[in-house]
Amino acid sequence: MIKFTECLNDSWDYFFLGDPAKLSSFKSENNLSDNLISEFTQNNSGDLIVEKGVLIPLSGIANFPYHIIFQINSDVSIFDDDQKNDLQFKRVGYFLEIVNRELYLMTIPYLTNWTDGIIRLESNIRPKVNLENGFYSVEILGGETYHQESGWEPTIEFILQKLKEEEVKLTAEDVNFKFQMKSKEY
């Protein structure tokens, strides 16, 4: 388990999960401008990023400090302990392709000027994990986890399983799902 605390959405209601190198390749291959948010909302590239495993957009993210947890090649979830945690949603069927051994959780300001955004990603403290290149299935769980020292904390957990290329298929039923949660503390 890899855990990050006090992760903020930069006052926008979105997080984006993906490999910046894969996103840069997608941008180049599709002749997109540096303002990727405009591109994703004004043409079909927003759908393509999900279908091709480039990014997973998480909308409906309230302006809370989040605990972000990554479980790599594990079936264990922090939400398995029902006594200390409040699972509010579980979404399955997503996949991502990692091409540069890095997976970041990004926010909108990084995507509004991507050339500058990449530089800022590398110098800022953003949730990042190193992974082997390849395809990964992604389950997204969210809710609150209880911590004795701080009480209830909004938490998003990503469970990633390495896939063989022939296993890659987007099966998420609602890619426009709002990843909203109720908080007891905020």
Side-chain angles (χ1 to χ4, degrees):
M1 173 175 69
I2 302 167
K3 180 178 179 180
F4 299 88
T5 59
E6 300 293 319
C7 299
L8 303 173
N9 66 359
D10 294 334
S11 298
W12 294 85
D13 67 343
Y14 270 89
F15 281 138
F16 295 86
L17 185 67
D19 177 343
K22 179 68 178 171
L23 181 55
S24 292
S25 294
F26 179 85
K27 175 188 175 294
S28 177
E29 291 164 7
N30 291 280
N31 297 315
L32 301 178
S33 72
D34 244 12
N35 187 341
L36 292 174
I37 292 301
S38 290
E39 294 286 352
F40 297 158
T41 58
Q42 295 175 2
N43 61 52
N44 71 341
S45 62
D47 293 333
L48 284 175
I49 61 167
V50 178
E51 292 170 14
K52 299 202 177 280
V54 178
L55 281 180
I56 299 173
L58 288 80
S59 68
I61 301 297
N63 196 22
F64 303 141
Y66 288 87
H67 284 218
I68 303 295
I69 297 170
F70 293 93
Q71 303 279 6
I72 314 298
N73 294 321
S74 171
D75 291 327
V76 176
S77 168
I78 191 107
F79 291 103
D80 288 344
D81 184 353
D82 291 345
Q83 301 299 318
K84 294 186 177 179
N85 300 308
D86 175 23
L87 177 64
Q88 297 178 21
F89 59 79
K90 179 179 180 178
R91 308 305 290 178
V92 299
Y94 294 97
F95 78 93
L96 286 171
E97 183 179 9
I98 305 302
V99 298
N100 196 35
R101 303 182 61 87
E102 296 178 325
L103 178 65
Y104 279 87
L105 188 66
M106 301 172 262
T107 57
I108 284 182
Y110 292 91
L111 302 177
T112 56
N113 180 350
W114 184 238
T115 301
D116 183 53
I118 293 173
I119 295 166
R120 288 185 299 125
L121 266 179
E122 293 171 0
S123 62
N124 285 341
I125 301 171
R126 294 296 320 162
K128 170 193 167 190
V129 293
N130 294 317
L131 298 169
E132 291 179 28
N133 289 342
F135 292 94
Y136 289 82
S137 66
V138 182
E139 288 184 32
I140 305 169
L141 295 85
E144 290 190 298
T145 52
Y146 186 78
H147 303 271
Q148 211 165 8
E149 65 281 354
S150 59
W152 290 97
E153 295 288 346
T155 302
I156 300 173
E157 180 179 40
F158 301 100
I159 299 177
L160 295 102
Q161 299 285 345
K162 187 118 193 247
L163 296 171
K164 295 182 174 117
E165 195 165 344
E166 61 271 10
E167 298 174 317
V168 175
K169 183 178 179 185
L170 178 67
T171 60
E173 292 181 10
D174 181 7
V175 296
N176 296 313
F177 178 77
K178 299 276 187 204
F179 292 86
Q180 297 171 321
M181 61 182 77
K182 295 176 185 160
S183 174
K184 295 171 186 64
E185 301 283 333
Y186 297 98

